[in-house]
Amino acid sequence: MSRKRAVVIAPGRGTYNKAELGYLTRHHGGGGEIVAGFDRRRVELGQPTLTELDRAPAYSMAVHMRGDNASGLIYACSHADYLAIDRDRFDIVAVTGNSMGWYTALALGGALDAAHGFEVVNAMGTRMHNEGVGGQMIHSMVDEDWKPIAGRREALMALVADIPDLFISIELGGMIVFAGSDAALKMLAERGPAGPGNFPMTLQYHAAFHSPLLEPVSRAARDALPASWFGQPSVPMIDGRGHIWRPHMSDLAALWDYTFGHQVVRTYDFTQAITVALREYAPDCLIVLGPGETLGGAVIQSVLAAGWHGWDGKTAFMAAQCRDAPFVLSMGRADQRQMIVRE
């Protein structure tokens, strides 16, 4: 039986929530020696271990959502999920990620080893917690069937042009994540459109990532995280511009520069990354790593934006998911996880 061609997607911040408490323990027995190594490093840094956080008796937003804790937890869960994919069933043709998920993708793609990948994630998460400024707010550009709302994007772009220190942080399928100063986000909340549902939403414990306001964090990362850690990827990696970093032919100085420069202070176009993944690799499926399944909606919306298979909305896509072999598989969902992992 031939293997399915799969593009693997690593999630970013905000995916280890109350329902994910214990994810490492439930699905990976704690993560084994790899996570033990991450824990030893966190002890050296005076941080609670990932094992302690994952096995806490109760979930705490004030503890589990802060950048210096959430980033490492998410990286460990995603990395362990990636290793659990059944390679007899899936041929991984490329990897990508959303926001912080780019750092995970660097490790999955082989440009960083697991330990250096963790070092990058942990260092950036800690800097975001300690030194990050501003925040993020997410707006929807689509309706309940994930079809574009007429005039919504134009209205939001007009506000970006008019409000000082307001930037597009992430193009996220049918959503836009905005980054800005506290004053800018307050103005966006007051002047921006409402709906559908609970939109707009302020992202808790998030700084103004992917915006010029993070220039000091970018400079500090360049000083602390050396280019010598980077090597040639073993799997194609698609970054937040849609650029592909290919095995054996990637400019490693440019890869380092992008990771701690453009990736930190400029818009992260996750929608474009998915579009490139579809058009360059024509995968049989997209596998979204855990923890959680909150990224799944943005992935599907990005697939719809690309016009893939003629799907024009949530209803059409979900009908195809139920009728045919699922195109988007989420390891954070129990019913789909069993289709992915080794038995």
Side-chain angles (χ1 to χ4, degrees):
M1 184 176 179
S2 61
R3 294 184 296 168
K4 290 187 175 181
R5 293 167 51 82
V7 171
V8 173
I9 304 165
R13 288 277 308 279
T15 54
Y16 191 104
N17 297 300
K18 185 176 181 179
E20 285 70 56
L21 185 66
Y23 192 95
L24 271 174
T25 302
R26 287 195 304 275
H27 295 302
H28 302 290
E33 183 53 37
I34 293 178
V35 173
F38 302 162
D39 282 349
R40 288 192 291 271
R41 179 60 177 144
R42 284 181 63 89
V43 169
E44 292 174 1
L45 296 170
Q47 298 174 312
T49 68
L50 303 183
T51 300
E52 291 169 355
L53 292 168
D54 188 62
R55 295 178 178 174
Y59 181 85
S60 166
M61 288 184 62
V63 173
H64 289 90
M65 285 194 72
R66 50 187 274 175
D68 51 345
N69 292 333
S71 297
L73 274 171
I74 293 164
Y75 173 80
C77 293
S78 297
H79 194 279
D81 270 1
Y82 184 76
L83 296 179
I85 294 173
D86 187 345
R87 302 306 177 87
D88 291 331
R89 285 188 274 174
F90 298 97
D91 176 20
I92 298 172
V93 296
V95 297
T96 189
N98 175 44
S99 189
M100 186 216 91
W102 169 245
Y103 305 140
T104 307
L106 287 169
L108 306 183
L112 293 171
D113 62 28
H116 284 140
F118 174 76
E119 199 73 29
V120 166
V121 166
N122 200 61
M124 295 303 290
T126 299
R127 286 196 181 281
M128 292 297 292
H129 177 70
N130 293 334
E131 303 164 28
V133 297
Q136 291 179 320
M137 180 179 294
I138 185 167
H139 270 270
S140 178
M141 298 180 292
V142 296
D143 61 20
E144 288 84 353
D145 196 35
W146 292 349
K147 295 180 179 179
I149 299 172
R152 174 63 60 90
R153 184 178 183 90
E154 291 77 9
L156 289 169
M157 293 305 99
L159 291 175
V160 172
D162 192 52
I163 298 175
D165 290 331
L166 181 66
F167 308 92
I168 299 174
S169 176
I170 307 172
E171 293 278 6
L172 193 61
M175 299 167 282
I176 296 178
V177 180
F178 294 92
S181 65
D182 293 340
L185 294 179
K186 183 174 184 293
M187 292 179 69
L188 176 62
E190 292 170 349
R191 296 168 55 182
N198 294 324
F199 289 101
M201 295 184 291
T202 299
L203 301 181
Q204 301 295 325
Y205 299 94
H206 285 57
F209 207 58
H210 309 303
S211 84
L213 299 180
L214 270 291
E215 283 283 1
V217 171
S218 174
R219 290 194 298 269
R222 290 172 182 270
D223 291 339
L225 304 169
S228 61
W229 287 358
F230 287 72
Q232 287 292 332
S234 55
V235 177
M237 308 180 306
I238 306 169
D239 70 20
R241 302 165 298 179
H243 177 80
I244 303 173
W245 300 89
R246 302 181 190 275
H248 314 301
M249 53 189 301
S250 291
D251 181 332
L252 299 184
L255 178 59
W256 173 86
D257 183 69
Y258 165 77
T259 298
F260 302 121
H262 187 291
Q263 199 269 154
V264 179
V265 300
R266 300 278 295 277
T267 299
Y268 196 95
D269 196 339
F270 179 73
T271 309
Q272 179 66 6
I274 297 301
T275 298
V276 169
L278 296 172
R279 294 177 179 173
E280 286 288 325
Y281 296 100
D284 298 308
C285 62
L286 305 177
I287 296 176
V288 185
L289 303 174
E293 54 177 304
T294 55
L295 187 60
V299 171
I300 297 169
Q301 290 169 5
S302 299
V303 171
L304 299 178
W308 204 244
H309 290 310
W311 296 317
D312 64 352
K314 182 178 182 180
T315 301
F317 178 85
M318 291 305 186
Q321 283 274 98
C322 295
R323 181 181 65 249
D324 308 320
F327 185 70
V328 176
L329 292 165
S330 176
M331 295 187 76
R333 288 184 51 167
D335 60 330
Q336 294 180 353
R337 184 180 186 87
Q338 64 184 356
M339 304 177 188
I340 305 167
V341 300
R342 293 187 300 272
E343 295 179 355

